[in-house]
């Protein structure tokens, strides 16, 4: 069976949604010296939608557990209570400073997701919008998770929502370049009775929220039919 990334690519280019593969648009991204500007993955609907795609491939469990083990050196309670392989949620629930401890753990666990997925996608989408003067274009990020089991959809959605509202020191949104995120997961843990979750998260700062919701719901329904797998929720 083809990978999730391959199937979605085929669907986007075969669907009647005015799709363009940015990899085929060398002239559009050519610099004066002949090199190329960085580019997103797709344009949809006559370039009124810019899409950046990111696939989750790195399981953070091993590095996170190593970091957690180091943390025990400065946390007497954790040192006495953490016996591998106790789940992180069990540790958090029992910790005497539960909320503070949760914040520390979540920040560490999703640091790579924040920097390598969300922030880089936001920068790419903004760069493309400005380069091509697509001032009214909607900017979307597709996140695909086929195999990284620790990244459960319910937790990722909350992390995405947090990232979309997080601000830099100067007050500007950290992910200003993202109007919406489409999260598609086909992990074993997320799949229920042959159905898999497909989540749409629209940023508070996005314009035309109703238009995004209408077109992306249509996209999800058609994608489900093309993929021959029912959607659990969206």
């Amino acid at each position: 069976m083809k990978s999730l990334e391959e199937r979605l690519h085929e669907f986007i280019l075969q669907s009647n949604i005015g799709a363009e593969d940015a990899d085929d648009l060398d002239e559009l991204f050519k610099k004066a010296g002949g090199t190329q500007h960085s580019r997103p993955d797709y344009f949809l609907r006559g370039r009124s939608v810019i899409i950046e795609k990111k696939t989750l491939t790195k399981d953070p469990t091993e590095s996170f557990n190593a970091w957690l083990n180091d943390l025990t050196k400065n946390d007497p309670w954790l040192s006495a209570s953490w016996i591998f392989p106790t789940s992180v949620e069990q540790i958090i629930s029992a910790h005497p400073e539960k909320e503070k401890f949760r914040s520390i753990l979540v920040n560490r666990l999703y640091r790579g997701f924040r920097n390598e997925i969300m922030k880089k996608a936001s920068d790419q989408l903004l760069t493309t919008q400005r380069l091509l003067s697509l001032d009214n274009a909607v900017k979307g990020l597709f996140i695909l998770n086929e195999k990284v089991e620790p990244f459960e959809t319910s937790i990722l959605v909350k992390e995405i929502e947090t990232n979309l509202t997080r601000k830099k020191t100067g007050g500007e949104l950290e992910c200003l370049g993202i109007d919406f995120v489409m999260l598609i997961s086909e992990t074993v843990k997320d799949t229920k009775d042959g159905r898999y979750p497909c989540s749409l998260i629209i940023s508070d700062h996005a314009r035309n929220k109703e238009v995004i919701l209408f077109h992306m719901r249509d996209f999800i329904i058609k994608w489900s039919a093309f993929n021959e797998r029912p959607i659990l929720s969206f």
Side-chain angles (χ1 to χ4, degrees):
M1 186 178 184
K2 293 181 180 178
S3 70
L4 172 57
E5 188 170 329
E6 289 171 327
R7 282 176 276 130
L8 185 68
H9 177 74
E10 288 184 4
F11 165 72
I12 289 175
L13 296 185
Q14 292 177 20
S15 299
N16 186 25
I17 52 176
E20 295 176 278
D21 185 345
D23 283 342
D24 297 333
L25 303 173
D26 287 349
E27 286 298 318
L28 198 63
F29 292 96
K30 183 182 290 185
K31 293 182 179 180
T35 58
Q36 293 281 307
H37 290 281
S38 63
R39 63 188 78 184
D41 288 283
Y42 306 102
F43 294 104
L44 307 180
R45 302 187 180 280
R47 299 182 187 169
S48 64
V49 182
I50 310 168
I51 297 295
E52 177 75 356
K53 179 185 85 265
K54 297 288 187 182
T55 299
L56 302 181
T57 58
K58 188 175 181 180
D59 187 334
T61 303
E62 186 175 338
S63 62
F64 178 76
N65 283 339
W67 171 82
L68 193 59
N69 189 53
D70 287 340
L71 197 63
T72 61
K73 299 172 183 177
N74 299 311
D75 188 330
W77 181 92
L78 183 62
S79 178
S81 304
W82 182 47
I83 303 174
F84 187 81
T86 306
S87 74
V88 173
E89 276 302 322
Q90 286 178 295
I91 300 171
I92 292 173
S93 298
H95 199 283
E97 295 184 87
K98 185 188 309 184
E99 294 308 316
K100 179 181 178 181
F101 189 60
R102 179 187 294 277
S103 177
I104 293 171
L105 262 61
V106 169
N107 185 62
R108 179 59 176 79
L109 183 60
Y110 290 99
R111 184 174 60 184
F113 179 81
R114 173 186 176 187
N115 294 329
E116 297 301 317
I117 303 295
M118 298 293 293
K119 289 174 69 174
K120 283 190 175 182
S122 177
D123 291 345
Q124 178 62 69
L125 289 164
L126 272 180
T127 297
T128 300
Q129 184 180 48
R130 291 164 180 169
L131 175 69
L132 303 181
S133 299
L134 299 173
D135 298 338
N136 296 318
V138 172
K139 304 173 293 296
L141 167 61
F142 285 5
I143 300 177
L144 313 183
N145 186 16
E146 188 173 11
K147 297 178 180 178
V148 186
E149 298 290 341
F151 283 147
E152 296 181 53
T153 290
S154 59
I155 300 173
L156 270 184
V157 166
K158 293 178 183 178
E159 183 62 19
I160 290 167
E161 290 172 343
T162 298
N163 277 277
L164 289 176
T165 57
R166 184 181 281 115
K167 293 184 179 180
K168 301 178 182 178
T169 305
E172 184 182 58
L173 286 169
E174 195 170 88
C175 292
L176 183 63
I178 301 174
D179 293 319
F180 72 89
V181 177
M182 181 83 76
L183 172 61
I184 303 175
S185 175
E186 290 187 351
T187 64
V188 173
K189 188 175 289 186
D190 276 339
T191 303
K192 311 294 182 185
D193 299 321
R195 296 174 177 268
Y196 65 95
C198 190
S199 305
L200 175 64
I201 304 99
I202 301 176
S203 173
D204 288 340
H205 70 258
R207 295 179 293 176
N208 300 320
K209 294 183 178 67
E210 295 81 6
V211 175
I212 293 173
L213 184 61
F214 174 82
H215 286 302
M216 287 303 106
R217 277 183 168 173
D218 180 66
F219 182 98
I220 292 171
I221 291 169
K222 290 177 179 176
W223 157 245
S224 177
F226 175 90
N227 200 34
E228 298 182 340
R229 294 188 64 183
I231 299 293
L232 178 65
S233 61
F234 64 84

